mmCIF file of all heavy atoms in Angstrom:
data_model
loop_
_atom_site.group_PDB
_atom_site.id
_atom_site.type_symbol
_atom_site.label_atom_id
_atom_site.label_comp_id
_atom_site.label_asym_id
_atom_site.label_seq_id
_atom_site.Cartn_x
_atom_site.Cartn_y
_atom_site.Cartn_z
ATOM 1 N N ILE S 1 0.807 -1.169 0.048
ATOM 2 C CA ILE S 1 -0.038 -0.007 0.018
ATOM 3 C C ILE S 1 0.857 1.227 0.050
ATOM 4 O O ILE S 1 0.552 2.185 -0.723
ATOM 5 C CB ILE S 1 -0.964 0.029 1.236
ATOM 6 C CG1 ILE S 1 -1.891 -1.216 1.165
ATOM 7 C CG2 ILE S 1 -1.704 1.316 1.294
ATOM 8 C CD1 ILE S 1 -2.794 -1.355 2.388
ATOM 9 N N LEU S 2 1.918 1.230 0.834
ATOM 10 C CA LEU S 2 2.744 2.451 0.976
ATOM 11 C C LEU S 2 3.690 2.780 -0.122
ATOM 12 O O LEU S 2 3.973 3.941 -0.475
ATOM 13 C CB LEU S 2 3.485 2.371 2.361
ATOM 14 C CG LEU S 2 2.590 2.396 3.573
ATOM 15 C CD1 LEU S 2 3.408 2.218 4.821
ATOM 16 C CD2 LEU S 2 1.766 3.705 3.671
ATOM 17 N N LYS S 3 4.251 1.685 -0.712
ATOM 18 C CA LYS S 3 5.267 1.855 -1.749
ATOM 19 C C LYS S 3 4.783 2.640 -2.990
ATOM 20 O O LYS S 3 5.411 3.603 -3.400
ATOM 21 C CB LYS S 3 5.823 0.581 -2.181
ATOM 22 C CG LYS S 3 6.954 0.630 -3.141
ATOM 23 C CD LYS S 3 8.098 1.519 -2.671
ATOM 24 C CE LYS S 3 9.210 1.676 -3.677
ATOM 25 N NZ LYS S 3 10.290 2.515 -3.216
ATOM 26 N N PRO S 4 3.571 2.386 -3.441
ATOM 27 C CA PRO S 4 3.086 3.115 -4.662
ATOM 28 C C PRO S 4 2.767 4.585 -4.301
ATOM 29 O O PRO S 4 3.007 5.502 -5.062
ATOM 30 C CB PRO S 4 1.711 2.417 -4.993
ATOM 31 C CG PRO S 4 1.909 1.091 -4.496
ATOM 32 C CD PRO S 4 2.644 1.153 -3.295
ATOM 33 N N LEU S 5 2.302 4.770 -3.039
ATOM 34 C CA LEU S 5 2.076 6.199 -2.582
ATOM 35 C C LEU S 5 3.390 6.945 -2.491
ATOM 36 O O LEU S 5 3.474 8.117 -2.857
ATOM 37 C CB LEU S 5 1.393 6.155 -1.238
ATOM 38 C CG LEU S 5 -0.086 5.672 -1.205
ATOM 39 C CD1 LEU S 5 -0.567 5.602 0.212
ATOM 40 C CD2 LEU S 5 -0.939 6.514 -1.984
ATOM 41 N N SER S 6 4.389 6.298 -2.015
ATOM 42 C CA SER S 6 5.760 6.910 -1.927
ATOM 43 C C SER S 6 6.241 7.236 -3.294
ATOM 44 O O SER S 6 6.919 8.346 -3.476
ATOM 45 C CB SER S 6 6.694 5.963 -1.229
ATOM 46 O OG SER S 6 8.028 6.496 -1.136
ATOM 47 N N SER S 7 6.099 6.349 -4.260
ATOM 48 C CA SER S 7 6.561 6.566 -5.653
ATOM 49 C C SER S 7 5.776 7.808 -6.273
ATOM 50 O O SER S 7 6.433 8.588 -6.983
ATOM 51 C CB SER S 7 6.368 5.290 -6.503
ATOM 52 O OG SER S 7 7.051 4.244 -5.992
ATOM 53 N N ARG S 8 4.554 7.855 -5.969
ATOM 54 C CA ARG S 8 3.740 8.991 -6.462
ATOM 55 C C ARG S 8 4.256 10.325 -5.954
ATOM 56 O O ARG S 8 4.416 11.319 -6.671
ATOM 57 C CB ARG S 8 2.263 8.787 -6.090
ATOM 58 C CG ARG S 8 1.350 9.886 -6.499
ATOM 59 C CD ARG S 8 0.004 9.695 -5.883
ATOM 60 N NE ARG S 8 -0.869 10.822 -6.067
ATOM 61 C CZ ARG S 8 -2.061 11.034 -5.392
ATOM 62 N NH1 ARG S 8 -2.366 10.097 -4.481
ATOM 63 N NH2 ARG S 8 -2.709 12.075 -5.580
ATOM 64 N N ILE S 9 4.566 10.346 -4.653
ATOM 65 C CA ILE S 9 5.164 11.533 -4.045
ATOM 66 C C ILE S 9 6.427 11.927 -4.723
ATOM 67 O O ILE S 9 6.693 13.076 -5.028
ATOM 68 C CB ILE S 9 5.319 11.399 -2.553
ATOM 69 C CG1 ILE S 9 3.931 11.246 -1.895
ATOM 70 C CG2 ILE S 9 6.099 12.619 -1.916
ATOM 71 C CD1 ILE S 9 4.000 10.843 -0.439
ATOM 72 N N VAL S 10 7.340 10.943 -4.982
ATOM 73 C CA VAL S 10 8.671 11.183 -5.551
ATOM 74 C C VAL S 10 8.470 11.808 -6.957
ATOM 75 O O VAL S 10 9.101 12.815 -7.276
ATOM 76 C CB VAL S 10 9.408 9.892 -5.705
ATOM 77 C CG1 VAL S 10 10.694 10.118 -6.513
ATOM 78 C CG2 VAL S 10 9.864 9.432 -4.226
ATOM 79 N N VAL S 11 7.579 11.294 -7.800
ATOM 80 C CA VAL S 11 7.372 11.823 -9.121
ATOM 81 C C VAL S 11 6.741 13.229 -9.095
ATOM 82 O O VAL S 11 7.138 14.065 -9.822
ATOM 83 C CB VAL S 11 6.510 10.878 -9.945
ATOM 84 C CG1 VAL S 11 6.147 11.455 -11.276
ATOM 85 C CG2 VAL S 11 7.181 9.431 -10.152
ATOM 86 N N LEU S 12 5.747 13.424 -8.149
ATOM 87 C CA LEU S 12 5.198 14.726 -8.054
ATOM 88 C C LEU S 12 6.123 15.764 -7.608
ATOM 89 O O LEU S 12 6.177 16.902 -8.078
ATOM 90 C CB LEU S 12 4.031 14.663 -7.038
ATOM 91 C CG LEU S 12 2.677 14.037 -7.449
ATOM 92 C CD1 LEU S 12 1.727 13.899 -6.274
ATOM 93 C CD2 LEU S 12 2.065 14.842 -8.635
ATOM 94 N N ARG S 13 7.083 15.424 -6.715
ATOM 95 C CA ARG S 13 8.126 16.450 -6.298
ATOM 96 C C ARG S 13 9.017 16.780 -7.492
ATOM 97 O O ARG S 13 9.332 17.908 -7.638
ATOM 98 C CB ARG S 13 8.942 15.806 -5.185
ATOM 99 C CG ARG S 13 8.287 15.781 -3.826
ATOM 100 C CD ARG S 13 9.120 15.171 -2.746
ATOM 101 N NE ARG S 13 8.666 15.333 -1.417
ATOM 102 C CZ ARG S 13 9.298 14.992 -0.340
ATOM 103 N NH1 ARG S 13 10.454 14.510 -0.378
ATOM 104 N NH2 ARG S 13 8.710 15.157 0.862
ATOM 105 N N GLY S 14 9.423 15.710 -8.221
ATOM 106 C CA GLY S 14 10.232 16.062 -9.441
ATOM 107 C C GLY S 14 9.482 16.874 -10.408
ATOM 108 O O GLY S 14 10.129 17.792 -11.077
ATOM 109 N N ALA S 15 8.184 16.667 -10.632
ATOM 110 C CA ALA S 15 7.394 17.427 -11.502
ATOM 111 C C ALA S 15 7.277 18.907 -11.083
ATOM 112 O O ALA S 15 7.452 19.832 -11.853
ATOM 113 C CB ALA S 15 6.049 16.866 -11.653
ATOM 114 N N VAL S 16 7.121 19.054 -9.773
ATOM 115 C CA VAL S 16 7.035 20.468 -9.302
ATOM 116 C C VAL S 16 8.389 21.227 -9.402
ATOM 117 O O VAL S 16 8.452 22.337 -9.822
ATOM 118 C CB VAL S 16 6.586 20.472 -7.760
ATOM 119 C CG1 VAL S 16 6.743 21.890 -7.133
ATOM 120 C CG2 VAL S 16 5.156 19.995 -7.666
ATOM 121 N N LEU S 17 9.542 20.530 -9.123
ATOM 122 C CA LEU S 17 10.805 21.163 -9.303
ATOM 123 C C LEU S 17 11.042 21.515 -10.824
ATOM 124 O O LEU S 17 11.472 22.644 -11.095
ATOM 125 C CB LEU S 17 11.894 20.130 -8.937
ATOM 126 C CG LEU S 17 13.361 20.553 -9.196
ATOM 127 C CD1 LEU S 17 13.658 21.814 -8.430
ATOM 128 C CD2 LEU S 17 14.337 19.463 -8.822
ATOM 129 N N ASN S 18 10.627 20.640 -11.744
ATOM 130 C CA ASN S 18 10.806 20.936 -13.140
ATOM 131 C C ASN S 18 9.851 22.154 -13.556
ATOM 132 O O ASN S 18 10.264 22.914 -14.368
ATOM 133 C CB ASN S 18 10.460 19.710 -13.986
ATOM 134 C CG ASN S 18 11.638 18.745 -14.136
ATOM 135 O OD1 ASN S 18 12.769 19.157 -14.393
ATOM 136 N ND2 ASN S 18 11.355 17.477 -13.778
ATOM 137 N N GLY S 19 8.682 22.147 -12.955
ATOM 138 C CA GLY S 19 7.796 23.275 -13.189
ATOM 139 C C GLY S 19 8.323 24.605 -12.721
ATOM 140 O O GLY S 19 8.184 25.643 -13.455
ATOM 141 N N VAL S 20 8.992 24.546 -11.581
ATOM 142 C CA VAL S 20 9.524 25.843 -11.035
ATOM 143 C C VAL S 20 10.744 26.222 -11.912
ATOM 144 O O VAL S 20 10.883 27.505 -12.254
ATOM 145 C CB VAL S 20 10.058 25.604 -9.609
ATOM 146 C CG1 VAL S 20 10.921 26.819 -9.113
ATOM 147 C CG2 VAL S 20 8.839 25.432 -8.668
ATOM 148 N N CYS S 21 11.523 25.275 -12.379
ATOM 149 C CA CYS S 21 12.659 25.639 -13.335
ATOM 150 C C CYS S 21 12.138 26.163 -14.653
ATOM 151 O O CYS S 21 12.624 27.135 -15.188
ATOM 152 C CB CYS S 21 13.516 24.403 -13.563
ATOM 153 S SG CYS S 21 14.444 23.832 -12.120
ATOM 154 N N LEU S 22 10.982 25.623 -15.154
ATOM 155 C CA LEU S 22 10.472 26.099 -16.394
ATOM 156 C C LEU S 22 9.854 27.523 -16.166
ATOM 157 O O LEU S 22 10.009 28.385 -17.031
ATOM 158 C CB LEU S 22 9.336 25.171 -16.859
ATOM 159 C CG LEU S 22 8.588 25.544 -18.087
ATOM 160 C CD1 LEU S 22 9.476 25.716 -19.288
ATOM 161 C CD2 LEU S 22 7.459 24.526 -18.417
ATOM 162 N N LEU S 23 9.312 27.760 -15.010
ATOM 163 C CA LEU S 23 8.797 29.053 -14.745
ATOM 164 C C LEU S 23 9.834 30.139 -14.710
ATOM 165 O O LEU S 23 9.676 31.209 -15.321
ATOM 166 C CB LEU S 23 8.024 29.042 -13.352
ATOM 167 C CG LEU S 23 7.322 30.331 -12.877
ATOM 168 C CD1 LEU S 23 6.226 30.702 -13.867
ATOM 169 C CD2 LEU S 23 6.721 30.149 -11.462
ATOM 170 N N TYR S 24 10.984 29.896 -14.023
ATOM 171 C CA TYR S 24 12.069 30.761 -14.100
ATOM 172 C C TYR S 24 12.617 30.978 -15.527
ATOM 173 O O TYR S 24 12.993 32.065 -15.862
ATOM 174 C CB TYR S 24 13.137 30.301 -13.146
ATOM 175 C CG TYR S 24 12.978 30.647 -11.641
ATOM 176 C CD1 TYR S 24 12.702 29.690 -10.763
ATOM 177 C CD2 TYR S 24 13.038 31.988 -11.303
ATOM 178 C CE1 TYR S 24 12.487 30.053 -9.396
ATOM 179 C CE2 TYR S 24 12.946 32.329 -9.907
ATOM 180 C CZ TYR S 24 12.594 31.389 -9.017
ATOM 181 O OH TYR S 24 12.361 31.770 -7.752
ATOM 182 N N SER S 25 12.678 29.855 -16.256
ATOM 183 C CA SER S 25 13.191 29.976 -17.608
ATOM 184 C C SER S 25 12.316 30.904 -18.443
ATOM 185 O O SER S 25 12.850 31.685 -19.256
ATOM 186 C CB SER S 25 13.252 28.540 -18.245
ATOM 187 O OG SER S 25 14.108 27.688 -17.479
ATOM 188 N N LEU S 26 10.960 30.786 -18.340
ATOM 189 C CA LEU S 26 10.083 31.617 -19.105
ATOM 190 C C LEU S 26 10.229 33.058 -18.711
ATOM 191 O O LEU S 26 10.108 33.978 -19.549
ATOM 192 C CB LEU S 26 8.712 31.083 -18.926
ATOM 193 C CG LEU S 26 8.333 29.781 -19.607
ATOM 194 C CD1 LEU S 26 6.935 29.338 -19.193
ATOM 195 C CD2 LEU S 26 8.369 29.913 -21.121
ATOM 196 N N ILE S 27 10.425 33.369 -17.416
ATOM 197 C CA ILE S 27 10.627 34.694 -16.967
ATOM 198 C C ILE S 27 11.912 35.292 -17.605
ATOM 199 O O ILE S 27 11.876 36.390 -18.067
ATOM 200 C CB ILE S 27 10.621 34.796 -15.490
ATOM 201 C CG1 ILE S 27 9.289 34.390 -14.888
ATOM 202 C CG2 ILE S 27 11.089 36.159 -14.956
ATOM 203 C CD1 ILE S 27 9.248 34.319 -13.356
ATOM 204 N N ILE S 28 12.918 34.428 -17.608
ATOM 205 C CA ILE S 28 14.230 34.870 -18.201
ATOM 206 C C ILE S 28 14.065 35.176 -19.731
ATOM 207 O O ILE S 28 14.612 36.122 -20.243
ATOM 208 C CB ILE S 28 15.367 33.856 -17.912
ATOM 209 C CG1 ILE S 28 15.690 33.732 -16.484
ATOM 210 C CG2 ILE S 28 16.600 34.194 -18.763
ATOM 211 C CD1 ILE S 28 16.588 32.641 -16.116
ATOM 212 N N PHE S 29 13.320 34.238 -20.335
ATOM 213 C CA PHE S 29 13.036 34.368 -21.814
ATOM 214 C C PHE S 29 12.222 35.721 -22.038
ATOM 215 O O PHE S 29 12.508 36.426 -23.025
ATOM 216 C CB PHE S 29 12.186 33.170 -22.245
ATOM 217 C CG PHE S 29 12.074 33.113 -23.749
ATOM 218 C CD1 PHE S 29 12.970 33.700 -24.565
ATOM 219 C CD2 PHE S 29 10.968 32.456 -24.291
ATOM 220 C CE1 PHE S 29 12.757 33.615 -25.980
ATOM 221 C CE2 PHE S 29 10.720 32.348 -25.639
ATOM 222 C CZ PHE S 29 11.680 32.951 -26.497
ATOM 223 N N PHE S 30 11.252 36.017 -21.219
ATOM 224 C CA PHE S 30 10.510 37.203 -21.434
ATOM 225 C C PHE S 30 11.314 38.458 -21.232
ATOM 226 O O PHE S 30 11.293 39.402 -22.038
ATOM 227 C CB PHE S 30 9.324 37.198 -20.414
ATOM 228 C CG PHE S 30 8.478 38.466 -20.433
ATOM 229 C CD1 PHE S 30 7.534 38.597 -21.435
ATOM 230 C CD2 PHE S 30 8.531 39.449 -19.479
ATOM 231 C CE1 PHE S 30 6.733 39.708 -21.566
ATOM 232 C CE2 PHE S 30 7.710 40.509 -19.562
ATOM 233 C CZ PHE S 30 6.864 40.739 -20.599
ATOM 234 N N ILE S 31 12.158 38.475 -20.203
ATOM 235 C CA ILE S 31 13.062 39.594 -20.041
ATOM 236 C C ILE S 31 14.064 39.699 -21.147
ATOM 237 O O ILE S 31 14.359 40.830 -21.645
ATOM 238 C CB ILE S 31 13.846 39.416 -18.665
ATOM 239 C CG1 ILE S 31 12.823 39.506 -17.508
ATOM 240 C CG2 ILE S 31 14.878 40.538 -18.456
ATOM 241 C CD1 ILE S 31 13.384 39.205 -16.163
ATOM 242 N N TYR S 32 14.582 38.559 -21.617
ATOM 243 C CA TYR S 32 15.577 38.589 -22.740
ATOM 244 C C TYR S 32 14.954 39.161 -23.998
ATOM 245 O O TYR S 32 15.591 39.920 -24.776
ATOM 246 C CB TYR S 32 16.097 37.204 -23.004
ATOM 247 C CG TYR S 32 16.914 37.049 -24.199
ATOM 248 C CD1 TYR S 32 18.272 37.479 -24.172
ATOM 249 C CD2 TYR S 32 16.449 36.528 -25.349
ATOM 250 C CE1 TYR S 32 19.060 37.473 -25.278
ATOM 251 C CE2 TYR S 32 17.278 36.356 -26.470
ATOM 252 C CZ TYR S 32 18.598 36.804 -26.370
ATOM 253 O OH TYR S 32 19.404 36.762 -27.516
#
């Protein structure tokens, strides 16, 4: 029961980190 939930959290954390990096990249692109 717990292992799939843990894997889901790991992937969601990675997705949020990539989203934050993309957000900063778009801001830099807009300023550029």
Side-chain angles (χ1 to χ4, degrees):
I1 297 173
L2 294 176
K3 184 57 181 177
L5 294 174
S6 177
S7 299
R8 177 187 171 196
I9 292 171
V10 167
V11 174
L12 283 174
R13 284 181 172 184
V16 171
L17 173 62
N18 281 309
V20 171
C21 292
L22 179 58
L23 184 60
Y24 277 112
S25 301
L26 289 172
I27 293 173
I28 294 172
F29 187 28
F30 179 74
I31 295 173
Y32 174 76

